[in-house]
Amino acid sequence: MGKITGFLEYKRKTEPYKPVEKRIKNFKEFTVPLKEKELRDQGARCMDCGIPFCHSGCPLGNLIPDFNDAVYRGKWEKAAQILHATNNFPEFTGRLCPAPCEEACVLGINEDPVSIENIEKNIAETAFEKGWIKAIPPETRTGKKIAVIGSGPAGLAAAQQLNRAGHWVTVYERDEKPGGLLRYGIPDFKMEKHVIDRRLKVLEEEGIVFKCGVHIGIDVPANKLKKDYDAIVLCGGATVRRKLPIEGSDLNGVVQAMDFLAQNNRRVAGKKKFEEEIIATDKHVIVIGGGDTGSDCIGTSFRQGAKTVTNFEILSKPSESRPQDQPWPFWPMRLRTSSSHKEGAERVFSISTKKFIGDEDGNLKGLITSEVEWIKGPGGRTVLKEIEGTEKEWECDLALLALGFTGSEMTLAEQLGLEADTRTNIKASVKDFKTNVPGVFVAGDQRRGQSLIVWAISEGRQAAYHVDTYLMGRSDLPLKGEGDLPRV
Ligand SMILES: Cc1cc2nc3c(=O)[nH]c(=O)nc-3n(C[C@H](O)[C@H](O)[C@H](O)COP(=O)(O)OP(=O)(O)OC[C@H]3O[C@@H](n4cnc5c(N)ncnc54)[C@H](O)[C@@H]3O)c2cc1C
Ligand code: SF4
């Protein structure tokens, strides 16, 4: 284990942030790295629990106490091997994961949990810096060909695992570059895009082919794909945005969050011209929706120079501490304050948007809200009730709809004859990730609905195991939590 008395000697420490006034001047990442000694002390806090509950929180089954111990001892290369045994892309999760492992950490019962995510990021960064992360092409090829549709974290993880098993893998992506929401959803201040590019270089050197700007189901019909490949893995994400069908939602200035975020990410990447510029500069911005996407809109708006940024959430304000009915080690619904929230956004809870107001030219100039409460309805169900007399008008010239995603797009799925549930998630069991059509598998948000990067990587890895088994009758690929230690 780490240091026997480590958890008594050292307090939790994670990378501090640069001050708000500095960080909002650009779109760069703004955390300040810890020194090596500080990171080793953090690794020393791990108690190497008899039952490491952190494992139960991690969808990848990361071998957390093992890499914590290696970091404590300064054995960074070993730590990188342990980490990569279960996680293809710890540099993504080390920056972006909400860290369910930390909520499940035993130390978190009466102390601050081990800073697992920050340790993970630093293991990955050290491994890249030292040149330990190299392409490992398979020694032999099976001759089987696999198409992966979608290059988000699920597609990339499935592709790398299947390539390791010796299959020829082609990843199709309709956007101009691979990465999915990592590249076109998540802003650079949370993860700069060179972090994706350096990993993609390794994947290409290993033999994976990326074909971007190809919309499967539109540019290439499904039956051609079925003819050309021995198996297909759908990793197309849950990209259908939830709408807000109220009066005025067609005004100029009422914009889907993903249109705003994707355009800004392209701007940061160097694109200069857009058909229609969506920009928060000098505007009163209201972000409707309190999740990750909403938070990313807030940080982006501040960096673009918004006058004010307000964030609406229809749910009531959660408590800051763990609610009693969500005990350790479960994931608690408590108030989460992101770095973007701390940049100056006003957060309003229990509020519902009733109507957008426009000027005579059809431009948004304000909106009307009502306060709401959540009460017990018939059968004990919680229902939303508007509080009479609480209508309020807000000044607003950019409203960003960050209301989540309702499911996956169905064009390709329909061409392939795939079954979907009522939310248009493609049906496949976690037992084998097989759809109802032989040879077609599905993983990530397209199967489970809008979720997290860590789940997408986990599903991509698991689906790869089942595709390999389908093609070869057996598989040596690891399943969840089963390490393959020597491999980085
Ligand atoms: C703004 C935002 C911020 C987020 N922040 C976080 C965060 O901080 N932490 C976290 O854990 N999660 C976060 N998430 C969620 C996370 O990004 C997703 O859960 C994850 O990316 C899902 O991975 P995926 O590979 O299943 O799909 P995606 O990342 O959505 O990738 C799917 C890809 O498939 C492509 N595609 C779809 N159909 C086709 C087709 N027919 N042909 C070719 N290509 C196709 C799409 O263009 C896309 O590139 C965030 C989501 C959003 C929207
Ligand atoms: S639960 Fe926390 S303290 Fe225990 S092994 Fe996991 S990281 Fe270490």
Side-chain angles (χ1 to χ4, degrees), residues 40-114:
R40 290 179 61 177
D41 290 348
Q42 292 305 303
R45 293 186 74 232
C46 177
M47 305 184 292
D48 192 14
C49 304
I51 299 175
F53 276 86
C54 50
H55 282 195
S56 72
C58 179
L60 285 161
N62 279 350
L63 304 166
I64 295 164
D66 303 66
F67 67 62
N68 282 340
D69 180 63
V71 165
Y72 160 62
R73 292 173 199 284
K75 296 185 173 169
W76 290 91
E77 190 167 6
K78 185 175 175 208
Q81 287 173 341
I82 296 167
L83 184 51
H84 280 84
T86 55
N87 185 353
N88 300 62
F89 314 122
E91 67 278 23
F92 304 160
T93 44
R95 283 174 169 79
L96 298 165
C97 194
C101 55
E102 292 186 12
E103 293 289 2
C105 171
V106 176
L107 196 50
I109 298 174
N110 62 343
E111 266 282 351
D112 288 334
V114 175

Side-chain angles (χ1 to χ4, degrees), residues 96-98 149-155 172-175 179-182 185-187 190 214-217 235-239 258 261 292-293 296 405 409 412 443-446 450-454 456:
L96 298 165
C97 194
I149 317 302
S151 65
Y172 288 95
E173 171 55 58
R174 65 183 171 193
D175 282 332
L181 288 173
L182 298 172
I186 290 163
K190 272 168 66 181
V214 185
H215 195 157
I216 300 294
C235 299
T239 50
M258 269 307 296
L261 293 173
D292 267 341
T293 308
D296 291 349
F405 300 84
E409 290 164 39
L412 177 59
D445 281 9
Q446 193 162 18
Q450 178 190 7
S451 184
L452 293 174
I453 294 159
V454 65

